[in-house]
Amino acid sequence: MRIGELARRAGTTTRALRFYETQGLLTARRLENGYREYGEEDVRLVGEILSLQAAGLSLDDTRPFVACLRAGHEAGDDCADSVEVYERKLAEVDACLARLEAVRAGLVTKLTEAMARRPDPCRVTRSIPLEES
Amino acid sequence: MRIGELARRAGTTTRALRFYETQGLLTARRLENGYREYGEEDVRLVGEILSLQAAGLSLDDTRPFVACLRAGHEAGDDCADSVEVYERKLAEVDACLARLEAVRAGLVTKLTEAMARRPDPCRVTRSIPLEES
DNA sequence: GCTTGCCTTGCCGTAAGCGTCAACGTTTAC
DNA sequence: GTAAACGTTGACGCTTACGGCAAGGCAAGC
């Protein structure tokens, strides 16, 4: 199949596929007219990439998974390198979570302090009519 | 004072200060030779920007705070706009936390599944010598 | 022969916050 | 007199994952 069909079937764009190729994630044989030609296994491969990206991995992180599939494994994470990426990414996510928690705490502090400084905290902008609706 | 001194006193670089100026966050009068000239209040202002960035705000988010200080308020968050930024940012951080939690959960799932598929999970790489140390 | 649709390569732009030259003028001290 | 330390503007680099557009080649239906 050609690039357009692969893009449709894998659920992405031709732009993305060509980009993956420049990144060495995808390869294609060429037809006589220069068009890229893909096989069924490429649908699976691109699907793996997209699924991993959705799981929070960067494109670069998907390399071991692609290599693993190319090496004939049934799943992209059937290789040690892939599992290692999972672990590394998990650690990164945990670090990011911790940092965000800290940022959150700082924001809450600043917010409450600012609110405490505001004059007339009990002011009512508009009185509520008793008999409405 | 000139840009170098302001940078030192505020704890940043001249490059950053010039950048803030292009972003409209900082203004400076010019000496006859074209050099930027700052006052004491600018030290405070730049300090506010840096502190907010450290708290997780983007440079753009600091605009209301700077405007608030320029308007003569004692604190940069003595204005409604600034407080609004706190609230918006807090919501953003919360959303980001939720997304990261989901990513984390997905990673853990993938990792445990991949580990479960690995052969020989009880394999011992090296036997532990009984009499060591 | 015309249109339509698919394909090609390549280059620019995005968002954030500066770092790092380049190439040059100014001030100050020895 | 000159060197060091400071100042100026401008422009490019970096990172991610493409989108958009240009300018064209190829294929198929009417």
Side-chain angles (χ1 to χ4, degrees), chain A residues 50-106:
Chain A
L50 296 179
S51 149
L52 290 170
Q53 280 194 289
L57 300 209
S58 74
L59 207 47
D60 202 59
D61 288 332
T62 68
R63 287 178 196 284
F65 297 82
V66 170
C68 192
L69 279 181
R70 282 231 191 87
H73 291 271
E74 294 213 350
D77 51 12
D78 270 0
C79 302
D81 285 356
S82 309
V83 173
E84 214 168 291
V85 169
Y86 280 155
E87 285 163 349
R88 187 172 51 69
K89 210 65 191 181
L90 197 53
E92 278 177 29
V93 168
D94 282 343
C96 193
L97 277 171
R99 213 171 45 83
L100 267 188
E101 302 276 13
V103 163
R104 202 201 121 88

Side-chain angles (χ1 to χ4, degrees), chain B residues 3-4 15 18 30 35-36:
Chain B
I3 196 167
R15 195 61 191 85
R18 277 189 274 260
R30 298 299 186 116
Y35 287 12
R36 291 170 179 83

Side-chain angles (χ1 to χ4, degrees), chain B residues 63-77:
Chain B
R63 287 177 196 284
F65 297 82
V66 170
C68 192
L69 279 181
R70 283 232 191 88
H73 291 270
E74 295 213 349
D77 52 12

Side-chain angles (χ1 to χ4, degrees), chain A residues 13-26 59:
Chain A
T13 66
T14 61
R15 279 308 269 134
L17 296 180
R18 276 189 276 260
F19 180 68
Y20 296 160
E21 189 173 307
T22 70
Q23 301 305 299
L25 285 171
L26 200 56
L59 207 47

Side-chain angles (χ1 to χ4, degrees), chain B residues 71-92:
Chain B
H73 291 270
E74 295 213 349
D77 52 12
D78 270 359
C79 302
D81 285 356
S82 309
V83 173
E84 215 168 290
V85 169
Y86 279 155
E87 286 163 348
R88 186 171 53 68
K89 211 64 191 181
L90 197 53
E92 276 176 31

